[in-house]
Amino acid sequence: MKALTWIPATPADAVPLAALFRQAEAITPVGLDQRAENVRTRLAGLGPDLTRHTRVGLDGEGTVAAYAEVANMGVADGVLRIRLTAVAHPELGGDVRAELHRWLVDRAEQLRRAGGTAQAAMLGTRCAENDPAGCRLLTENGFTLVRHERDLVLAVPELPPAVGLPASLALEPVDERHQELARLAHNETYAQSPSALRPDQRTWPQHAIAHPQFLPDLSCLLLAQGGRDENPVAAFLFALADDDADEPTAILHCLGTRPSWRRRGLATAMILRALHRARSSGFRRLRLQVSDTNKPALALYQRIGFTESGRGYAVLMRQLGGPTAE
Ligand SMILES: CC(C)(COP(=O)(O)OP(=O)(O)OC[C@H]1O[C@@H](n2cnc3c(N)ncnc32)[C@H](O)[C@@H]1OP(=O)(O)O)[C@@H](O)C(=O)NCCC(=O)NCCS
């Protein structure tokens, strides 16, 4: 294999990076963006300094053949979360992947130290289930498997089942009016999920209504009537269009019911409503990702009829620095 030339990414690399991501996804899927527009959004999300956060490998012809990215996902419970992404053209050898990995861990360490030498960091990365060499590289470098993300799909039926909602709840669109209440409900719902992001006010819009693929017609909030609760948002569903799919597909991107409202059919009602809306908007399929450790959600989706697409991946993590590190 010829040596690659390494340069930082620029927004202009979005098109060749999307092409590289598509090639990699066809063989070892880990849910990478496959459209240039989405890659551009991803690069913009890394902050203004792409020199510190990205690395693009060019082959002898100047074609983008490898990519590495270290992303600061914010501090949760005192621990800095850092997402590592390494993508190599399927024909490149293991030495390129090892080199990408070394660079990523080195950059992550710099990011951690920027928060002070005592700052603890948790590195997270993905590995395709059919990529034993990639997973081995990670485990040999101190990463441990924390979960599998299942990719589930459901064909939109000709006649979706009827939707029933408890009378005490009102269905509302997801818009500016309930932004903060929806954020608080979201963060309460995911409080027990160690891997879930709990967005602050600044990053929340990007999670839902300001997301470039947001689908307002399929998304909804369920609001409790009668004011027995400080926050009336009992449940929420945010849907996105799947730009990378080969047939019109909507993604159930974020779904939750606040603990005091669970097991009353709210999540089921929101998904069935999304199925109706998907049908009238021309979508042929619903898709979502769920961790294999999330038994309630798996039971919910299986009951509705979702099945595995085969595009799931493993999530691995490694602690860096901090008081409890070796
Ligand atoms: C998963 C979640 C959305 C379910 O919401 P919900 O409104 O309680 O779901 P429903 O009442 O519609 O449940 C429908 C069915 O799903 C299954 N189910 C839901 N929660 C379950 C649980 N804790 N244990 C076992 N099965 C469960 C049951 O079959 C249930 O029917 P039943 O109550 O008649 O037995 C909710 O637990 C939640 O918000 N969890 C945290 C956030 C999360 O994990 N979101 C999904 C991310 S992919």
Side-chain angles (χ1 to χ4, degrees), residues 189-190 193 235-236 254-258 261-270 288-291 294-301 303:
T189 298
Y190 282 93
S193 312
F236 51 86
C254 182
L255 162 84
T257 301
R258 277 176 54 220
W261 287 93
R262 287 183 190 162
R263 302 301 286 265
R264 299 194 215 177
L266 271 54
T268 306
M270 293 189 297
L288 60 86
Q289 280 177 352
V290 56
S291 161
N294 191 344
K295 303 297 179 210
L298 279 169
L300 165 75
Y301 301 137
R303 189 166 134 160

Side-chain angles (χ1 to χ4, degrees), residues 196-282:
L197 286 179
R198 274 163 269 151
D200 57 20
Q201 285 179 327
R202 185 182 64 81
T203 55
W204 174 249
Q206 200 57 30
H207 199 72
I209 61 174
H211 192 289
Q213 275 81 43
F214 183 61
L215 289 174
D217 271 5
L218 273 65
S219 305
C220 68
L221 299 177
L222 294 184
L223 265 58
Q225 311 285 79
R228 68 165 196 172
D229 206 335
E230 232 172 71
N231 184 352
V233 176
F236 51 86
L237 185 156
F238 307 139
L240 305 178
D242 184 354
D243 286 353
D244 297 326
D246 44 15
E247 62 176 336
T249 300
I251 300 175
L252 301 187
H253 164 63
C254 182
L255 162 84
T257 301
R258 277 176 54 220
S260 56
W261 287 93
R262 287 183 190 162
R263 302 301 286 265
R264 299 194 215 177
L266 271 54
T268 306
M270 293 189 297
I271 295 173
L272 296 186
R273 175 183 178 273
L275 260 186
H276 277 265
R277 295 275 171 134
R279 169 116 198 96
S280 45
S281 304

